[in-house]
Each structure stands twice: as C-alpha cells, then as structure tokens.
Amino acid sequence: MKNATDPDLDFRLFAIGSQLSPEQGSSGIEMLETDTFKLHCYQTLTGIKFVVLADPRQAGIDSLLRKIYEIYSDFALKNPFYSLEMPIRCELFDQNLKLALEVAEKAGTFGPGS
C-alpha cells in the first residue's frame, strides 16, 4: 500500500461534499457510493483525513479506517522524525498496516457480501 499526501485533495473533497450535500454547513464526504466503487473518508478530530476506495460489496471499511488511524497515531505521529503532510517512511508503520489489512481480510470484513 502506498501512502501519499495531497494538500489539495482535502480541499477538493470538502468543496465537492459541501456543494452536493443537502445539509447546510456540511463537513465534506463521509462515503460516496457508485455502482463500481465506494469512496470512504474518515476525518479525525484533528482534521486528518483518510480516504479509501473499495468495492461496493465490501463491509467493515469504517472499522478498518479507525484501525489505520490508530496505527498512524502510534507509528507516525509519535515518531519524532515524522513531519505532518510528508510521506510516511516508517517500517513499523508499514508492517502494522500490512498486518491490519491481513487480519481484516482473514476476519472476512473485506469479502463480498460480508
């Protein structure tokens, strides 16, 4: 899995969500569903956003996003050499992210119809 930061992505998702939302003062997109994919956006209390594109039949993405945030907090934010808005270059982050994805897949949270 590749991690990347795009400061403009944050603004674009907010702008699209705000314009399309029927609610005044919307904070952006939480989930966008189409016939071919679902876009999930998890925004933390500090404003950090995690975005995942998934098969529309996949379940459990919300809990996976929370787990990814936990891993990010533990292995990126607590790393004194990490700077916000920079790519994450941390082997422990990569290992734990891979493990979380494997555990979620084995638990069936990614399977069609689960």
Side-chain angles (χ1 to χ4, degrees), residues 33-105:
E33 186 172 354
T34 72
D35 292 340
T36 55
F37 70 88
K38 282 186 185 177
L39 181 139
H40 298 262
C41 182
Y42 176 69
Q43 181 171 330
T44 68
L45 295 175
T46 58
I48 296 171
K49 291 183 178 84
F50 294 88
V51 179
V52 170
L53 285 175
D55 185 292
R57 300 169 293 178
Q58 291 178 332
I61 300 296
D62 292 337
S63 61
L64 176 63
L65 281 165
R66 286 189 297 277
K67 180 64 177 176
I68 291 170
Y69 176 57
E70 179 184 317
I71 293 167
Y72 172 76
S73 296
D74 287 345
F75 298 103
L77 292 180
K78 293 178 184 176
N79 180 345
F81 302 107
Y82 174 70
S83 298
L84 292 175
E85 298 186 18
M86 295 298 294
I88 302 167
R89 291 186 172 86
C90 174
E91 188 66 29
L92 285 174
F93 173 82
D94 292 341
Q95 290 171 358
N96 282 277
L97 179 59
K98 183 178 177 183
L99 180 62
L101 293 171
E102 289 171 357
V103 167
E105 188 173 19

